[in-house]
Each structure stands twice: as structure tokens, then as C-alpha cells.
Amino acid sequence: MKARAILGALALFFLSCGGGPPRAPFEVIVEDYPNDAGRSAIVKWEHFAGNGVKAYKIMRGTTPDNMREISQISVEIPATRDKYVPPDTTDFVGKFGYYLVLEGEKEPFTAHLVRVTPETEDSLRKIGKRIEKIETEIKGYNEGVKKTIIAYGNFYKLYLDNVKETELIPVEGYSLTEEAGVPRIVPNGRTPITFVAVKKPAEEIRFIHSGERMAELTPDIEGFCKKYGEQVRGVILEDSVRVLVNKVELEYSDEDSLCPDSTYYYKIVSVGINRKESESEPVSIKPIDDAPTPLPSLYALLDTVTNDLFLNWKTQDEDIQKYVIYISTAGDLEHRKGRKLLEVAGSWAYGYPAVVRLEGLGASLEDSIIYVASLDTSGQVAYTELSTIVPTHFDSMPPLPEGLVVDDLENDNGKKLVLRWEPPTVYLGYRVRDPISEAKKLVPKSVDISSLDYYLVTEGESRKIVEFENPNDVPEGAKKIYWLQTPTLREGDKELVVLYDLYANSARKPGYAMLRLDDGEPVVDEDGDGSYIFSGVPIGKHKLTVDFLDENRRVFENPEAHVEMEVNVTADNPEVPIEYPSVYLEVARTSDLEETNIMMFDRVRFLPGMLREYTDPVDTTKEEFKYAVLAWDPSGGISATPIIGPVRRVPNVYHTGKTTVLIATIIFVLAALTMISSAKKGKHLYIRPIAGINHVDEAIGRATEMGRPILYVLGLSTISDIATLAGLTILSRVAKKAAEYQTRLIVPCYNPIVMTIAKETVRSACADAGRPDMFKERDIFFVTQSQFAYAAAVNGIMLREKTATNFYMGMFFAESLLLTETGSAAGSIQIAGTDAITQLPFFITTCDYTLIGEEFYAASAYLSQNRIQIGTLKAQDVLKAIMMVLIIIGGICATAGIWRFVNIFHIQV
Amino acid sequence: MHLSPSIGVWVAVFLTLCVLSFLYKDNPFYKFAEHLVVGVSVGYGMVLWYTQGILPKFITPFFKEGKYIYIVPAILGIMITMQLVRKYAWLARFPMAFLLGASSGIGLPRTMQAGVIKQLEATMVPMGFSRLQYIWNIVIFVGVLSVLIYFFFSKEHKGVFGGIANIGIWYLMIGFGATFGYTVMARLSLFIGRVLFIIQTALGIQVAG
Amino acid sequence: MFLKRQLPLLITLVCGIIWGVQYFIPHPASEAVYSFYTDWGLVIGLFASILGFVSIIRLHYMKVRHHAKNWQFSVVTLSAMPVMIVAAILTGTESGGAFMWLYNYVEVPIEATMFSLLAFYIASAAYRAFRARSAQAAALLVAAAIVMLGRVPVGAQISFWSHLFPGTSIPQIASWILNVPNMAAKRAINLGVGLGMMMVSLKIILGIERTYLGGQE
């Protein structure tokens, strides 16, 4: 048995370890991290998908000999697991004969693609290898591949079926009509023609006409390859050698761990699927403390009411120690004439707006020029542009939050207040991109107009289609048009990535976005991650509609929750980012309930304009407050809401979000009490038999017959764990039986408190059985609180005491298999009970009987045959029945879209 | 091959081999390692009991910070240790009652929320035949219901009821098999880790390249 | 008698109700009640640890004193403990000292090796499961085999049929098994376990379950 086990394990070991080590990573370089204090660096290297590497380790040290691992990156092992593997995209290119010639001394080689002709075949055979298959996706397993080589190459597989003799050129603004049976080109300003075909010079045609189906990408055919081709990731040569030719750049940012001006060495270790490793040569860097980036967009506003100067800029670098604000005069481009006004610590997080308010200075500064210098930790400086100070005015009133309400925050411990306003709003943007996978198939609808006299005339950057009836009028360089391709591309169209952002206050219980393209089916974005992709979108203009849904999947009624946008999908992959309002909101608060001038309130927090809620943590000890919200726009416009309040913060006594739990618990307790009382009244309650429980007596009897002791393991958890308590309850029954049969019971314990209880339990069980002398205190003892030391000790006990019966009742972890295997090797009968789902499979396969989860808890009721205990068991059944009904109703509701019911069970604490 | 100069590594190797010898059969080397690890781990536990337990959690608050209220749990703790003295062992019931009552009270609503309601919510998903995920949702739905029926204690497993419970057993077995298989490979890598430790760290034989 | 028998049950009931209700109340007073349990329970547990230490010392001491079987090894256990304590006192508990050396080169290797023995035990448990007694036990075995193969490269390599039927390679079937039937079984067990746990908690609070008090004195 042992031998088999050893062999089996060794077999598994070698299965996962077979093969040679992977290749070391290529082209490892390390660069200084930009805009930092010299404490970070970026390491980059190249990875070829399918090269058998599952992870890369990044090592760093101050000398090349003394490096240690600082991080690890896993790479996707292509197409082995959960992802859909597209249909076979390899291809036989035998008919056209391509050879691969590798150049270079060692990997990575440079790969050259050569198409063979009968004359060149012999000499090519000497220097290269014939390509048998090309792969546009690398699969995780090798179809008979004997070896893998890595080379740089940029090859495309071309689909040339639909390319005519002539090149296709895009021109916009024309479409095709048929007039009296004759196609005519009409400029209509609406429908762009994607391509026109013109006659090309002979050499260019030859390339296409020769029927080659693979090409190495060069700049002059780059557009063509990308339009009609698919990138090759690997080729398989005639001797079943795979060459990987497509690389991915990987990088790792080592942040905040270096000292500037010290030299560091890095190397990358590739970890293969078989766990073997190889490493690159070390590279070194001295990180540089970069000078700060000049700050863009400094706003300087003068609050004409309070005379406060209000400055706002966007932080850029991470290592700014302080900002110094200077007042200067116009024309001070060298930033020399500034008079220092104030120094501020650089405490804002990177990328956040910095806001500074200088009180009362404003009046003297009107018409001044201001600039801000940022100093980093090593004293390097950068400056903003010179800005004029703009006085605020109430002429243009930026929009204020509608429906502003200030409340005590619900369900909290009384420290916070919350400001909420309307309306729920959707912000939209989009990005057009080429589809990620899938071969591009062009299905052009084209019309042959070679019999007509249309020419493509190029004027500078633009192209026009002109009809020349007289061939002599055709200008130089104009090309005759042979056919037109109308623009609706079918498959292989673009993907539209919709970017959305939903803002609503939490009292509205917001949910999801529902998107709809043109007149298609509306779709709810279930994962709510802010983006949704529409595939197969033809080129042209489309209508995108997005609705904001609440948690019951109903659309919010206000107009901002329903947004329509015209999306222009064109070949050049446009991007329209989400546009947020440029208004800033400022929350003002006071605890002085007599104050009526908003400008005298404390300015608590600055918020971007798209938020709809703010939770104020209120760090003071006062209890009542008044609030107002100001809106600023960058041109100086300011407006303010009326004062709201006073609002008092209140510690809440009941958490409304937990109502479902409360009701469920009450139902639970009522069900239990009802069944218990009907049990007490003497009603007979049926319980079905369970295998493991019935054999307990039998197991104890066996131990008695053999004259060997019983081992009872209570598990490896504390007394607060319900599983341990259930184990103790069963121990009580087992101990009683064992005392009756006069069999020795050994209970090694993992936890001292559990040991204490176990002792008392066994003692009183022996007394109940009428045999108090059977209680042996030394047989119930504490072993150790260390998992495997405990397992080792218990194994020792099993073997030395030769226990006939082993009980495992409680909470177990990884050591479960160690215990049960040793027990079964010793020939004991074993009964286990646990709720540890991860260990149940091991118990089931190694023990004679196992109590699974709830059966384990039911066991104490069974073994006692006590009416009340059985009553609780029935109560559990009642509740299970209720749960099953709820699941059925819930499933029906979810399928039918009735989310109100399902949301009852959604608890937000 | 480059033998490690560290004596600690060789001690570790020796003890590793002692434990591995258990695979062959129980022997004095294994017994030695077993008793040693019990002693060392209890000793370690004792030290940590002081440095991370009693010192920061009781001695410092009580004696140094003057939080005299800590006398109450101290008294309760002493009551529990009265277990050692037969005559006063019954005193241990009071701290036990507090510990168990409180932990049961804490556990009940939390188990209801996380163990029951959350699981119920997760099962209420759309089903149908329009999307692949919806078809699988039907399979999950059937599985959950049939396993719950298997665990029903009030009715015997006969007839239609027994048939459904039988389906539940299939689900259980497949589920356990999956967990078993999933854990196997994780365990295996641990073993490989030990072997590599011996080969690479102690003996200095580079297995990679 | 009330003192010894009823009072503890009353304490349990009261504590159970107080801490059960605590969950629903966000008030700071309620937070204080919760931390009261965590802080005090910790201290009580620390005192109880003393019991454990005494128990194990007593056990091994008795073995040595009465020259029970394998008593020599108990000497090892008994001497290891003061060695650890002295090492901690002399060299501190920071890494680099003798205390952590003993931990890292004695306790950790032994425990790690024991853990790794599992690899062998699993193989022999799998062998035992081979003798599937019923169709359902065979299902367990097959599911285990598929999931195991799905996690190594071999599994994908031998899935020759997945050319014809995309999406049916062994790793993908393994993933389906883990996410569909396994998920269903787990959820149902968790529901049952949750119910059972709550019932035991309720039984303790109501005083139906009294084992932890240790007997009916």
C-alpha cells in the first residue's frame, strides 16, 4: 500500500516536472521612473506567448551576486483553461511554399520569411526550413511539436480573396446611386464611401497577384497587412519545430523602495510550467530624483465677499515637499521677481486638486499676477505659468445641486452627517476599437464602374472623385477608378466600448446602466464596472441610449438618467472621453447656529461637480450644525444654496438595513420554540435514520470486544466554534456508552479550554452511566496548539495505543487526512463528523462513516433521543422547507425580472 | 553540488528525513521528531503567550495604564483555572457561561446574514435557455434544492422524495470529488517544495538550468 | 444549588440576548458592548491557556516518573520547553536570535514535512477510493480525476476531442465542474450548516444545550 502511494506520488511529481527549463527572458532593460524622487524604477522585458513560462520573478539587489526576489508576475498560459478557444486557425501553406530563415547566434533569433520559387528552393533548403503551419493563436498544448524556438518576426497572414487587381483607397463623402440602370457617383455629404479602387502600377500589382498569402510587415505595406491580414504568432516548421515570433512587452514598476543615486541590479527569472527556472543577465540602474513637472492650470480666484484668495491647481508629482506661492508682476517669465506670499506643505495625493484658501488678503492683490513653485524633497523646482487673479462674481451662476438635503447618517454610531442631492445622472463617453480576436473578413459590396470616366484626384491631403468625359482633361497623377466599395462592412466591424459613470445618492438605491445601440435590444450591464462592449458595429453613425436603473431595475424618471448620444464609428478608431462638469462644489458648515452669512462658514470639503452625496465625518465634538453648498466655476462664477439646518447628529438605535435579518431571526426563533413545545407535549416526531449515527454503538462495541481503547478527536478549534460544541455533545454520549462497556476513552485536545470542558463532560457522563471510576483524568489531556505537531502526536497515540475505534468530531483543517490515513493503516474503524467542507472529501474517502455538515449537528439530537433536542431538529426541517420555497420563488422572480423580491435578501451593512 | 554551510539547514534536513521515515513505518527517529516538535511548539506558544498575549492585553492595560476594570476578566480567568483544583472546579462555569452566551449571541444573527441570507440571495438568479449562464443556473438551482432535500430529516428517502434526494447525493459526490482533486495539486506542490529544499538549499544542486 | 446550577444558565441567557441584540444597534454604546466581549474574552482565554500548559507538563512528567512506555521521548518534550523559554529570555524574540532559530530550523521543517506527507496520503486515499463501491462513489472519483488533470498541462494536451467540440477540453470541463455542480452542493451544505449553527447557538442561549458547563451537578 505504501509502495503504491509512493509510486503514485512520484508519478504525479514527474508529470508536472517534466521537460527542460524555460528560456531566460529577453531584452531586459530597466528605466528610471519618471517624475519621482528617485525611489522607483521600471523593469521591462519581452515575453512570447506560448513559451512555456507561467510566471516571472523579479529580483533586485545592490550587487549582482546578492539579489533577492521582490515580486512575481504570472502570465496567462494560453488557451488551456476557462477562455473560449476559437476554432482552429492554423493553416496549411504548403501550396505556396514559405521558408523561415533564422538569423543570429542565439535566441531570440531574427526570423525572415521567404517565399520559395523552384529556382530558389535548393539553396533555401540549406539555410532555412519549410513552414508547415501558421498559428494566429497559440494553444496551450503542442500538437506534436518537438521543440520551441523564439525569434523576432512580424508576419501577417493575408486574406486576399477579395482584393482586386487594384489597391483600395478610402475617400469620404460620396455614395452610389443608380440612374437609369447606370451607377453614378453622387456627392451627398452623408454616406462615406469607404474605398475606391484605382489602377496601380504593375510592380505593386505583382505583389498581390502572385498569390502569396503571408507577408512580412514592412512600412509600405503596413496598412494593407493590417486591413487584409491577421498577425502570425507562431509557425510550425517541417520538422515539427515551433517558432514563436510575436512578442509582448511586460513591465514591473518597483516603487518606493530605492535610494536615489545608488546603483541597483535587476534580473528577471522565468518560471516554467514545470517549475524549472532560468534567469536573465543582471541590468543596472541608478534611479534619478526627477525635477518636478511644471504644474498646469493654476486657477486664482478672489472671493469678493470675504476677500479670500482661493487657489486651485492639479498636483503632478508624488514627491513634492512644499508649494510656494508668489506674487509677481506681468512679464516675469523667469520667475525671479516674485514676492513670497505663503508656503504650503505638499500634502495632497497625486492627481488630486490642490486647494488653498488665503483669508483676507484678496483686496490688496487684485490685478496681481500669481504663480506657484513646487519643490520636491531634494530641492528641485518647477513653476506654474503666470496667472491673473480673477475676482469672483455672481453674474454667471454655476448650477447648484438640486434638492439638497442634509441628514443624520442612518444606521451609524452617531458620528456622521450626510448631504444628498439630485438628480441621478449618467455620464457617457466611448471608444471605438478594432475587434480583439476574430479574423477580419471583408464582404464588400462593390460595383464595377470601369466603364465610366471617374478619376480619383488627389489635392494635397484630400481626395476627390471627378468625372472627366474627355481623357485629355485628366490631370497628372489622377487615377482611374475601377470600382467602388460601399461602406457597410459585415463581420470584422468595429467594437464600440461604451464608458459610463453613474452618480446618484445612496438614498435612491441606484443599480445599473441599461444600454441600447440604435434599435437593438436593451442590455443591462450586470457587472457594473463602468464599461460595456458592443461588437460587430458597422462603420457609420449610430445612436447610443443609456438609462440609469434603480435596484429594482426600473428607470429613474429624471431626464439626466436617460442619455442619448450620437456615436460616430469610423475607421480611425475615435475616442470621446467622458465629459464631467467643470463646476466644483464646496461644502460649508458651521456649529454657530446664529450665523447667517454663508461666507463665514467653515469650508469643510471640496468636491468635483458630478458627485451626488457627501458623508461628513464631522471631527468636532459639537452636535448641531448648519450647512450650505457653494458652487464655483473656473471663470470665477460663484453661487450658493440657502442655509440648511440646524441638523443634529444622532447615534441610531436600530440599523434599518438589517431588518431582513431581524425578521428571519424572529421566524427562526419562533419556529424553534413552536417545535420544542410540541415536542414537550409528547407528540411523536419522526426522524429518518442516518448511517453514521447508528453505527456509533457498534463501533464502541467493537473496541470493547478487541479490548483496545477508543480515540476521540474534538477537532482543532476553540470553544466558540459551534462544531467543537457539537463534538462535545457527541462526546458526552460516546463517553457514557464507553463507561457502560468499561472501555478506555482517550481524548487528546488541541485547546486548553476545550480540554477543560471535555474533562467535565466525560466525568459527568461516567457518573451518569453509574461508573464514575471509569473516569481517568490522565486520558483527557492537552497536546499542543500547533496544527501539525498535534497531528503528529495523535498519530503517535493511534499507533502506540492501537486504538480500535477513532472518532473525529469537530472542526478540522489540512491535517485531517494525516489523521485518518494513519488510523486506517492501523486498522481502526473510523467515524467522522464535521462542517468543514474542504475536509469532507477526505473524510468520506478514508472513514467508514461520515456525518456531513448538518447531519453532524443533528447527531447530538439523535444520540440523546431527548424530546427537546428532536424538536429542534424538526424546527431545522421546517426552516429548510421555508428556504426551499423562498429559493423557488426567488428563482422565478429573478427569471421574470421581478427584482423587488430578490432585493429583500440583499443586505448592505 | 555545493553543500550548504549553515548548520541550521542540516538540522532541518535531518528532521525532515526523520518525519519522512514515518512513511516506511513508525520508528524512533519519527518518535524523536514528534516529541521534539511538541515540546518546541508548546515552548514557542508559552513565549508568545507572554509577549503577545498576557503582556500587551492584560499586564500593560492593568498595571501600566491603570485600567482597573481589567480586574474583572482577570478574576474570571482565575475562576477558569480553578479547574485544576477539584474542589473549586465548579467556579469555571461562570466565565464559561459568559463566553459561550456572548459568542452564541454574536454568532446567531451574523450566521443568519452571511450563512443563510447571503447564500439565498446568490441562488436567486435568472434561469432560462437564452444564455449559457442561464442554463447552468438551472443546473445549480436543481442541485441546491435536491441537496437540501437530502438533508431533510423528517421524511424517509423513499419514492419521489427519495429520488430527488438521490440526485442530491450525486451532486454531493461530484462536489466532494472536485474539492478533493482541487486540493490534491496544492498538497503536491508542498511536497515538491520540501524535496526542492533538500536538493537545492541543502545540497546546492540546481535543478533549474 | 441555584448558584451552581441555575445561575450559569441565567448568565448564558442574558449574555446571549444582550450580544444578539447588539448586532442590530449601531449606537456607540453597542459598539462598546461588543469590544467588551472581545477584550475580556481574550484575557479570560489567556488565563485558560495556563491550564493547557500545566496539563501537558503534568502528562509528560508522569510518563517519565513512572517509566511508562517511550518515557525517554517525554524527556525530549519536557526539556524542549524550558530551552525555548530561556532562548527567548536571553536572545529575545526577534529574528536572528536563538529562539527564532529554533523555530525556523526545528519547528517549521517538521511541520512543513508533515504537511507535505499529505501528498502521499492523498495518493493512497485515492487508491482506496478506486475501489468504488457504488456509482456515486465512482462519480466522486471521476470528478476528482478530471479536476486534478485540469490543473496540469497534461490535461489540456490529452484533450484531443476538443478540436471537434470546442470548449470541452479537460481543463474547461474541470472548470465547469467546479463552478456548477460543486457550487450547488457547497451552497446547499452551507445553508444546512448555517441552520445547524444557529440552532446550536439558540440551544445554548436557551439552556437546552448544557454540555459546556460540564455535567449535571
Side-chain angles (χ1 to χ4, degrees), chain A residues 480-492:
Chain A
K480 181 158 162 69
I481 297 176
Y482 281 77
W483 50 270
L484 297 170
Q485 183 182 18
T486 51
T488 46
L489 300 171
R490 289 303 110 92
E491 297 153 86

Side-chain angles (χ1 to χ4, degrees), chain A residues 893-909:
Chain A
C893 283
T895 309
I898 306 173
W899 292 97
R900 214 174 251 286
F901 181 76
V902 179
N903 281 329
I904 296 176
F905 297 89
H906 181 72
I907 312 232
Q908 199 93 18
V909 280

Side-chain angles (χ1 to χ4, degrees), chain A residues 773-807:
Chain A
D773 53 305
M774 280 305 299
F775 174 65
K776 300 277 185 286
E777 193 158 350
R778 64 180 155 81
D779 278 341
I780 303 159
F781 51 91
F782 170 72
V783 179
T784 176
Q785 278 191 301
S786 171
Q787 187 183 17
F788 289 102
Y790 178 78
V794 174
N795 281 354
I797 295 171
M798 275 185 220
L799 293 173
R800 275 161 240 142
E801 305 287 349
K802 297 199 189 5
T803 55
T805 301
N806 297 337
F807 290 96

Side-chain angles (χ1 to χ4, degrees), chain B residues 52-124:
Chain B
Q52 288 181 10
I54 209 89
L55 182 64
K57 303 288 179 189
F58 176 66
I59 295 181
T60 310
F62 185 70
F63 293 104
K64 293 218 176 75
E65 290 171 10
K67 291 186 185 160
Y68 294 119
I69 192 75
Y70 274 81
I71 192 75
V72 178
I75 292 177
L76 291 173
I78 294 175
M79 282 163 85
I80 277 203
T81 56
M82 285 293 114
Q83 273 277 330
L84 294 167
V85 179
R86 190 75 192 82
K87 198 166 146 204
Y88 295 111
W90 60 272
L91 279 172
R93 293 187 185 179
F94 298 99
M96 287 307 305
F98 162 64
L99 282 177
L100 242 49
S103 64
S104 302
I106 288 179
L108 210 137
R110 284 172 178 76
T111 310
M112 178 61 88
Q113 183 222 322
V116 176
I117 295 185
K118 199 155 182 193
Q119 303 285 334
L120 286 177
E121 187 199 358
T123 322
M124 297 181 185

